[in-house]
Amino acid sequence: MIKLIIFDFDGTLGDTRANIITTMQETMRVLGYPVAGEEAITATIGITLEDGFRELFPGLTERDILRCADVYRVLFERNRKKMVPKLFPNVKETLNLLKERGYILSVASSRQSVSLRGFLHDMSVEDCISYVLGADSVEKAKPDPEPVLKTMRELGIPPEESLVVGDMPVDIIMGRRAGTSTVGVTYGNSFREALAEAGADKIIDDISELLELV
């Protein structure tokens, strides 16, 4: 019986793909690096910002990686005022219904906590979320199970009563390594085949389908 649902944010609750791609490419231009294409950038969504730059530019030093991340965060905050991200369809309604039914809802994201909490506030869903965990709150980010293990420990819920919901294979792998059930969503930044290959227990096309699964 599921009591705790742990959501990814980018690509699962919030549609931030355009913001991420635009800001990544702008960061590369500002720093004079080759500009990566949309597909390559999308493949890094779900891991930490620093790891994303490491994958895109494996030859950079750690100092350069940190500089990339710093420039990105400044540009992202500026861009979000011009390109305001929105919740995916049916997210707010589904979160409200799940909370009404007594489920504990949390978010575990590779995004920094300040940015994450800002989005949840701006999108008017923060009242639905009992616990928020950003990449800066753990030593090891996705696909390591630490974000899920820490969430369950803080909320006192065991793996067999927990469910991880995400749009990327790293979300599914993280949940499986932590011993939880997993649900992949197809409307985000990945594909059904990749989510299935990662071992998702269920795959849904609309977040409202969760109401029939838990």
Side-chain angles (χ1 to χ4, degrees), residues 112-131:
Q112 296 288 297
S113 297
V114 172
S115 174
L116 185 57
R117 290 182 183 278
F119 275 129
L120 294 172
H121 172 78
D122 293 346
M123 295 175 174
S124 301
V125 292
E126 62 180 345
D127 290 344
C128 296
I129 307 300
S130 298
Y131 185 74

mmCIF file with all atom_site columns, all heavy atoms in Angstrom, residues 112-131:
data_model
loop_
_atom_site.group_PDB
_atom_site.id
_atom_site.type_symbol
_atom_site.label_atom_id
_atom_site.label_alt_id
_atom_site.label_comp_id
_atom_site.label_asym_id
_atom_site.label_entity_id
_atom_site.label_seq_id
_atom_site.pdbx_PDB_ins_code
_atom_site.Cartn_x
_atom_site.Cartn_y
_atom_site.Cartn_z
_atom_site.occupancy
_atom_site.B_iso_or_equiv
_atom_site.pdbx_formal_charge
_atom_site.auth_seq_id
_atom_site.auth_comp_id
_atom_site.auth_asym_id
_atom_site.auth_atom_id
_atom_site.pdbx_PDB_model_num
ATOM 1   N N   . GLN A 1 112 ? 18.723 22.837 -7.760  1.00 0.00 ? 112 GLN A N   1
ATOM 2   C CA  . GLN A 1 112 ? 19.059 23.387 -6.451  1.00 0.00 ? 112 GLN A CA  1
ATOM 3   C C   . GLN A 1 112 ? 17.778 23.718 -5.666  1.00 0.00 ? 112 GLN A C   1
ATOM 4   O O   . GLN A 1 112 ? 16.752 24.074 -6.249  1.00 0.00 ? 112 GLN A O   1
ATOM 5   C CB  . GLN A 1 112 ? 19.909 24.653 -6.609  1.00 0.00 ? 112 GLN A CB  1
ATOM 6   C CG  . GLN A 1 112 ? 21.265 24.406 -7.242  1.00 0.00 ? 112 GLN A CG  1
ATOM 7   C CD  . GLN A 1 112 ? 22.226 23.691 -6.318  1.00 0.00 ? 112 GLN A CD  1
ATOM 8   O OE1 . GLN A 1 112 ? 22.589 24.222 -5.268  1.00 0.00 ? 112 GLN A OE1 1
ATOM 9   N NE2 . GLN A 1 112 ? 22.647 22.504 -6.699  1.00 0.00 ? 112 GLN A NE2 1
ATOM 10  N N   . SER A 1 113 ? 17.865 23.632 -4.348  1.00 0.00 ? 113 SER A N   1
ATOM 11  C CA  . SER A 1 113 ? 16.678 23.768 -3.500  1.00 0.00 ? 113 SER A CA  1
ATOM 12  C C   . SER A 1 113 ? 15.993 25.121 -3.640  1.00 0.00 ? 113 SER A C   1
ATOM 13  O O   . SER A 1 113 ? 14.761 25.204 -3.680  1.00 0.00 ? 113 SER A O   1
ATOM 14  C CB  . SER A 1 113 ? 17.053 23.540 -2.033  1.00 0.00 ? 113 SER A CB  1
ATOM 15  O OG  . SER A 1 113 ? 17.526 22.226 -1.835  1.00 0.00 ? 113 SER A OG  1
ATOM 16  N N   . VAL A 1 114 ? 16.773 26.200 -3.714  1.00 0.00 ? 114 VAL A N   1
ATOM 17  C CA  . VAL A 1 114 ? 16.177 27.536 -3.816  1.00 0.00 ? 114 VAL A CA  1
ATOM 18  C C   . VAL A 1 114 ? 15.359 27.652 -5.100  1.00 0.00 ? 114 VAL A C   1
ATOM 19  O O   . VAL A 1 114 ? 14.220 28.140 -5.089  1.00 0.00 ? 114 VAL A O   1
ATOM 20  C CB  . VAL A 1 114 ? 17.267 28.628 -3.769  1.00 0.00 ? 114 VAL A CB  1
ATOM 21  C CG1 . VAL A 1 114 ? 16.665 29.988 -4.081  1.00 0.00 ? 114 VAL A CG1 1
ATOM 22  C CG2 . VAL A 1 114 ? 17.923 28.660 -2.394  1.00 0.00 ? 114 VAL A CG2 1
ATOM 23  N N   . SER A 1 115 ? 15.929 27.216 -6.202  1.00 0.00 ? 115 SER A N   1
ATOM 24  C CA  . SER A 1 115 ? 15.216 27.254 -7.480  1.00 0.00 ? 115 SER A CA  1
ATOM 25  C C   . SER A 1 115 ? 13.979 26.370 -7.440  1.00 0.00 ? 115 SER A C   1
ATOM 26  O O   . SER A 1 115 ? 12.897 26.755 -7.900  1.00 0.00 ? 115 SER A O   1
ATOM 27  C CB  . SER A 1 115 ? 16.148 26.795 -8.601  1.00 0.00 ? 115 SER A CB  1
ATOM 28  O OG  . SER A 1 115 ? 15.457 26.688 -9.826  1.00 0.00 ? 115 SER A OG  1
ATOM 29  N N   . LEU A 1 116 ? 14.118 25.196 -6.856  1.00 0.00 ? 116 LEU A N   1
ATOM 30  C CA  . LEU A 1 116 ? 13.019 24.243 -6.782  1.00 0.00 ? 116 LEU A CA  1
ATOM 31  C C   . LEU A 1 116 ? 11.858 24.802 -5.970  1.00 0.00 ? 116 LEU A C   1
ATOM 32  O O   . LEU A 1 116 ? 10.695 24.766 -6.395  1.00 0.00 ? 116 LEU A O   1
ATOM 33  C CB  . LEU A 1 116 ? 13.538 22.944 -6.154  1.00 0.00 ? 116 LEU A CB  1
ATOM 34  C CG  . LEU A 1 116 ? 12.594 21.764 -6.076  1.00 0.00 ? 116 LEU A CG  1
ATOM 35  C CD1 . LEU A 1 116 ? 12.067 21.384 -7.447  1.00 0.00 ? 116 LEU A CD1 1
ATOM 36  C CD2 . LEU A 1 116 ? 13.308 20.570 -5.435  1.00 0.00 ? 116 LEU A CD2 1
ATOM 37  N N   . ARG A 1 117 ? 12.156 25.334 -4.809  1.00 0.00 ? 117 ARG A N   1
ATOM 38  C CA  . ARG A 1 117 ? 11.100 25.899 -3.968  1.00 0.00 ? 117 ARG A CA  1
ATOM 39  C C   . ARG A 1 117 ? 10.454 27.114 -4.635  1.00 0.00 ? 117 ARG A C   1
ATOM 40  O O   . ARG A 1 117 ? 9.249  27.344 -4.505  1.00 0.00 ? 117 ARG A O   1
ATOM 41  C CB  . ARG A 1 117 ? 11.675 26.292 -2.604  1.00 0.00 ? 117 ARG A CB  1
ATOM 42  C CG  . ARG A 1 117 ? 12.069 25.098 -1.750  1.00 0.00 ? 117 ARG A CG  1
ATOM 43  C CD  . ARG A 1 117 ? 12.602 25.537 -0.382  1.00 0.00 ? 117 ARG A CD  1
ATOM 44  N NE  . ARG A 1 117 ? 13.046 24.415 0.412   1.00 0.00 ? 117 ARG A NE  1
ATOM 45  C CZ  . ARG A 1 117 ? 12.253 23.635 1.131   1.00 0.00 ? 117 ARG A CZ  1
ATOM 46  N NH1 . ARG A 1 117 ? 10.952 23.893 1.159   1.00 0.00 ? 117 ARG A NH1 1
ATOM 47  N NH2 . ARG A 1 117 ? 12.729 22.624 1.823   1.00 0.00 ? 117 ARG A NH2 1
ATOM 48  N N   . GLY A 1 118 ? 11.254 27.870 -5.365  1.00 0.00 ? 118 GLY A N   1
ATOM 49  C CA  . GLY A 1 118 ? 10.708 29.013 -6.082  1.00 0.00 ? 118 GLY A CA  1
ATOM 50  C C   . GLY A 1 118 ? 9.688  28.599 -7.125  1.00 0.00 ? 118 GLY A C   1
ATOM 51  O O   . GLY A 1 118 ? 8.615  29.211 -7.251  1.00 0.00 ? 118 GLY A O   1
ATOM 52  N N   . PHE A 1 119 ? 10.001 27.551 -7.873  1.00 0.00 ? 119 PHE A N   1
ATOM 53  C CA  . PHE A 1 119 ? 9.066  27.055 -8.875  1.00 0.00 ? 119 PHE A CA  1
ATOM 54  C C   . PHE A 1 119 ? 7.788  26.529 -8.232  1.00 0.00 ? 119 PHE A C   1
ATOM 55  O O   . PHE A 1 119 ? 6.681  26.813 -8.704  1.00 0.00 ? 119 PHE A O   1
ATOM 56  C CB  . PHE A 1 119 ? 9.705  25.937 -9.700  1.00 0.00 ? 119 PHE A CB  1
ATOM 57  C CG  . PHE A 1 119 ? 10.517 26.433 -10.859 1.00 0.00 ? 119 PHE A CG  1
ATOM 58  C CD1 . PHE A 1 119 ? 11.814 25.995 -11.060 1.00 0.00 ? 119 PHE A CD1 1
ATOM 59  C CD2 . PHE A 1 119 ? 9.988  27.343 -11.766 1.00 0.00 ? 119 PHE A CD2 1
ATOM 60  C CE1 . PHE A 1 119 ? 12.560 26.447 -12.130 1.00 0.00 ? 119 PHE A CE1 1
ATOM 61  C CE2 . PHE A 1 119 ? 10.724 27.801 -12.844 1.00 0.00 ? 119 PHE A CE2 1
ATOM 62  C CZ  . PHE A 1 119 ? 12.019 27.351 -13.025 1.00 0.00 ? 119 PHE A CZ  1
ATOM 63  N N   . LEU A 1 120 ? 7.916  25.751 -7.171  1.00 0.00 ? 120 LEU A N   1
ATOM 64  C CA  . LEU A 1 120 ? 6.737  25.188 -6.512  1.00 0.00 ? 120 LEU A CA  1
ATOM 65  C C   . LEU A 1 120 ? 5.839  26.300 -5.981  1.00 0.00 ? 120 LEU A C   1
ATOM 66  O O   . LEU A 1 120 ? 4.602  26.194 -6.032  1.00 0.00 ? 120 LEU A O   1
ATOM 67  C CB  . LEU A 1 120 ? 7.164  24.248 -5.382  1.00 0.00 ? 120 LEU A CB  1
ATOM 68  C CG  . LEU A 1 120 ? 7.892  22.974 -5.819  1.00 0.00 ? 120 LEU A CG  1
ATOM 69  C CD1 . LEU A 1 120 ? 8.439  22.236 -4.603  1.00 0.00 ? 120 LEU A CD1 1
ATOM 70  C CD2 . LEU A 1 120 ? 6.967  22.065 -6.618  1.00 0.00 ? 120 LEU A CD2 1
ATOM 71  N N   . HIS A 1 121 ? 6.459  27.365 -5.489  1.00 0.00 ? 121 HIS A N   1
ATOM 72  C CA  . HIS A 1 121 ? 5.685  28.519 -5.014  1.00 0.00 ? 121 HIS A CA  1
ATOM 73  C C   . HIS A 1 121 ? 5.006  29.226 -6.178  1.00 0.00 ? 121 HIS A C   1
ATOM 74  O O   . HIS A 1 121 ? 3.796  29.499 -6.133  1.00 0.00 ? 121 HIS A O   1
ATOM 75  C CB  . HIS A 1 121 ? 6.602  29.492 -4.269  1.00 0.00 ? 121 HIS A CB  1
ATOM 76  C CG  . HIS A 1 121 ? 5.928  30.783 -3.926  1.00 0.00 ? 121 HIS A CG  1
ATOM 77  N ND1 . HIS A 1 121 ? 5.040  30.910 -2.869  1.00 0.00 ? 121 HIS A ND1 1
ATOM 78  C CD2 . HIS A 1 121 ? 5.999  32.012 -4.511  1.00 0.00 ? 121 HIS A CD2 1
ATOM 79  C CE1 . HIS A 1 121 ? 4.601  32.145 -2.821  1.00 0.00 ? 121 HIS A CE1 1
ATOM 80  N NE2 . HIS A 1 121 ? 5.164  32.844 -3.799  1.00 0.00 ? 121 HIS A NE2 1
ATOM 81  N N   . ASP A 1 122 ? 5.783  29.518 -7.229  1.00 0.00 ? 122 ASP A N   1
ATOM 82  C CA  . ASP A 1 122 ? 5.235  30.257 -8.368  1.00 0.00 ? 122 ASP A CA  1
ATOM 83  C C   . ASP A 1 122 ? 4.114  29.490 -9.056  1.00 0.00 ? 122 ASP A C   1
ATOM 84  O O   . ASP A 1 122 ? 3.186  30.101 -9.613  1.00 0.00 ? 122 ASP A O   1
ATOM 85  C CB  . ASP A 1 122 ? 6.345  30.543 -9.385  1.00 0.00 ? 122 ASP A CB  1
ATOM 86  C CG  . ASP A 1 122 ? 7.390  31.512 -8.842  1.00 0.00 ? 122 ASP A CG  1
ATOM 87  O OD1 . ASP A 1 122 ? 7.121  32.158 -7.811  1.00 0.00 ? 122 ASP A OD1 1
ATOM 88  O OD2 . ASP A 1 122 ? 8.473  31.602 -9.446  1.00 0.00 ? 122 ASP A OD2 1
ATOM 89  N N   . MET A 1 123 ? 4.204  28.162 -9.023  1.00 0.00 ? 123 MET A N   1
ATOM 90  C CA  . MET A 1 123 ? 3.201  27.334 -9.693  1.00 0.00 ? 123 MET A CA  1
ATOM 91  C C   . MET A 1 123 ? 2.042  26.956 -8.774  1.00 0.00 ? 123 MET A C   1
ATOM 92  O O   . MET A 1 123 ? 1.164  26.185 -9.149  1.00 0.00 ? 123 MET A O   1
ATOM 93  C CB  . MET A 1 123 ? 3.868  26.076 -10.238 1.00 0.00 ? 123 MET A CB  1
ATOM 94  C CG  . MET A 1 123 ? 4.883  26.370 -11.336 1.00 0.00 ? 123 MET A CG  1
ATOM 95  S SD  . MET A 1 123 ? 5.766  24.877 -11.866 1.00 0.00 ? 123 MET A SD  1
ATOM 96  C CE  . MET A 1 123 ? 6.705  25.531 -13.260 1.00 0.00 ? 123 MET A CE  1
ATOM 97  N N   . SER A 1 124 ? 2.073  27.499 -7.546  1.00 0.00 ? 124 SER A N   1
ATOM 98  C CA  . SER A 1 124 ? 0.970  27.339 -6.578  1.00 0.00 ? 124 SER A CA  1
ATOM 99  C C   . SER A 1 124 ? 0.695  25.885 -6.209  1.00 0.00 ? 124 SER A C   1
ATOM 100 O O   . SER A 1 124 ? -0.459 25.482 -6.050  1.00 0.00 ? 124 SER A O   1
ATOM 101 C CB  . SER A 1 124 ? -0.310 27.986 -7.134  1.00 0.00 ? 124 SER A CB  1
ATOM 102 O OG  . SER A 1 124 ? -0.114 29.358 -7.391  1.00 0.00 ? 124 SER A OG  1
ATOM 103 N N   . VAL A 1 125 ? 1.758  25.089 -6.056  1.00 0.00 ? 125 VAL A N   1
ATOM 104 C CA  . VAL A 1 125 ? 1.573  23.704 -5.611  1.00 0.00 ? 125 VAL A CA  1
ATOM 105 C C   . VAL A 1 125 ? 2.384  23.395 -4.358  1.00 0.00 ? 125 VAL A C   1
ATOM 106 O O   . VAL A 1 125 ? 2.399  22.253 -3.896  1.00 0.00 ? 125 VAL A O   1
ATOM 107 C CB  . VAL A 1 125 ? 1.936  22.693 -6.724  1.00 0.00 ? 125 VAL A CB  1
ATOM 108 C CG1 . VAL A 1 125 ? 0.939  22.771 -7.865  1.00 0.00 ? 125 VAL A CG1 1
ATOM 109 C CG2 . VAL A 1 125 ? 3.363  22.903 -7.219  1.00 0.00 ? 125 VAL A CG2 1
ATOM 110 N N   . GLU A 1 126 ? 3.049  24.399 -3.792  1.00 0.00 ? 126 GLU A N   1
ATOM 111 C CA  . GLU A 1 126 ? 3.907  24.138 -2.637  1.00 0.00 ? 126 GLU A CA  1
ATOM 112 C C   . GLU A 1 126 ? 3.127  23.598 -1.445  1.00 0.00 ? 126 GLU A C   1
ATOM 113 O O   . GLU A 1 126 ? 3.659  22.823 -0.642  1.00 0.00 ? 126 GLU A O   1
ATOM 114 C CB  . GLU A 1 126 ? 4.676  25.401 -2.230  1.00 0.00 ? 126 GLU A CB  1
ATOM 115 C CG  . GLU A 1 126 ? 3.800  26.563 -1.801  1.00 0.00 ? 126 GLU A CG  1
ATOM 116 C CD  . GLU A 1 126 ? 4.625  27.785 -1.402  1.00 0.00 ? 126 GLU A CD  1
ATOM 117 O OE1 . GLU A 1 126 ? 5.849  27.627 -1.187  1.00 0.00 ? 126 GLU A OE1 1
ATOM 118 O OE2 . GLU A 1 126 ? 4.053  28.880 -1.316  1.00 0.00 ? 126 GLU A OE2 1
ATOM 119 N N   . ASP A 1 127 ? 1.845  23.962 -1.330  1.00 0.00 ? 127 ASP A N   1
ATOM 120 C CA  . ASP A 1 127 ? 1.046  23.487 -0.210  1.00 0.00 ? 127 ASP A CA  1
ATOM 121 C C   . ASP A 1 127 ? 0.751  21.991 -0.307  1.00 0.00 ? 127 ASP A C   1
ATOM 122 O O   . ASP A 1 127 ? 0.384  21.360 0.697   1.00 0.00 ? 127 ASP A O   1
ATOM 123 C CB  . ASP A 1 127 ? -0.280 24.258 -0.132  1.00 0.00 ? 127 ASP A CB  1
ATOM 124 C CG  . ASP A 1 127 ? -0.079 25.700 0.309   1.00 0.00 ? 127 ASP A CG  1
ATOM 125 O OD1 . ASP A 1 127 ? 1.003  26.013 0.839   1.00 0.00 ? 127 ASP A OD1 1
ATOM 126 O OD2 . ASP A 1 127 ? -1.000 26.518 0.107   1.00 0.00 ? 127 ASP A OD2 1
ATOM 127 N N   . CYS A 1 128 ? 0.909  21.434 -1.493  1.00 0.00 ? 128 CYS A N   1
ATOM 128 C CA  . CYS A 1 128 ? 0.662  19.996 -1.675  1.00 0.00 ? 128 CYS A CA  1
ATOM 129 C C   . CYS A 1 128 ? 1.872  19.152 -1.276  1.00 0.00 ? 128 CYS A C   1
ATOM 130 O O   . CYS A 1 128 ? 1.747  17.950 -1.049  1.00 0.00 ? 128 CYS A O   1
ATOM 131 C CB  . CYS A 1 128 ? 0.325  19.686 -3.135  1.00 0.00 ? 128 CYS A CB  1
ATOM 132 S SG  . CYS A 1 128 ? -1.199 20.422 -3.740  1.00 0.00 ? 128 CYS A SG  1
ATOM 133 N N   . ILE A 1 129 ? 3.037  19.785 -1.223  1.00 0.00 ? 129 ILE A N   1
ATOM 134 C CA  . ILE A 1 129 ? 4.292  19.052 -1.058  1.00 0.00 ? 129 ILE A CA  1
ATOM 135 C C   . ILE A 1 129 ? 4.774  19.118 0.387   1.00 0.00 ? 129 ILE A C   1
ATOM 136 O O   . ILE A 1 129 ? 5.005  20.195 0.940   1.00 0.00 ? 129 ILE A O   1
ATOM 137 C CB  . ILE A 1 129 ? 5.370  19.621 -1.998  1.00 0.00 ? 129 ILE A CB  1
ATOM 138 C CG1 . ILE A 1 129 ? 4.864  19.665 -3.449  1.00 0.00 ? 129 ILE A CG1 1
ATOM 139 C CG2 . ILE A 1 129 ? 6.649  18.805 -1.891  1.00 0.00 ? 129 ILE A CG2 1
ATOM 140 C CD1 . ILE A 1 129 ? 4.474  18.332 -4.028  1.00 0.00 ? 129 ILE A CD1 1
ATOM 141 N N   . SER A 1 130 ? 4.958  17.968 0.992   1.00 0.00 ? 130 SER A N   1
ATOM 142 C CA  . SER A 1 130 ? 5.362  17.895 2.395   1.00 0.00 ? 130 SER A CA  1
ATOM 143 C C   . SER A 1 130 ? 6.863  17.991 2.594   1.00 0.00 ? 130 SER A C   1
ATOM 144 O O   . SER A 1 130 ? 7.332  18.399 3.662   1.00 0.00 ? 130 SER A O   1
ATOM 145 C CB  . SER A 1 130 ? 4.866  16.580 3.015   1.00 0.00 ? 130 SER A CB  1
ATOM 146 O OG  . SER A 1 130 ? 3.463  16.508 2.998   1.00 0.00 ? 130 SER A OG  1
ATOM 147 N N   . TYR A 1 131 ? 7.634  17.601 1.569   1.00 0.00 ? 131 TYR A N   1
ATOM 148 C CA  . TYR A 1 131 ? 9.092  17.573 1.725   1.00 0.00 ? 131 TYR A CA  1
ATOM 149 C C   . TYR A 1 131 ? 9.736  17.853 0.374   1.00 0.00 ? 131 TYR A C   1
ATOM 150 O O   . TYR A 1 131 ? 9.353  17.255 -0.633  1.00 0.00 ? 131 TYR A O   1
ATOM 151 C CB  . TYR A 1 131 ? 9.531  16.204 2.251   1.00 0.00 ? 131 TYR A CB  1
ATOM 152 C CG  . TYR A 1 131 ? 11.006 16.083 2.556   1.00 0.00 ? 131 TYR A CG  1
ATOM 153 C CD1 . TYR A 1 131 ? 11.563 16.674 3.672   1.00 0.00 ? 131 TYR A CD1 1
ATOM 154 C CD2 . TYR A 1 131 ? 11.840 15.353 1.712   1.00 0.00 ? 131 TYR A CD2 1
ATOM 155 C CE1 . TYR A 1 131 ? 12.917 16.554 3.959   1.00 0.00 ? 131 TYR A CE1 1
ATOM 156 C CE2 . TYR A 1 131 ? 13.195 15.222 1.984   1.00 0.00 ? 131 TYR A CE2 1
ATOM 157 C CZ  . TYR A 1 131 ? 13.723 15.821 3.117   1.00 0.00 ? 131 TYR A CZ  1
ATOM 158 O OH  . TYR A 1 131 ? 15.055 15.704 3.395   1.00 0.00 ? 131 TYR A OH  1
#
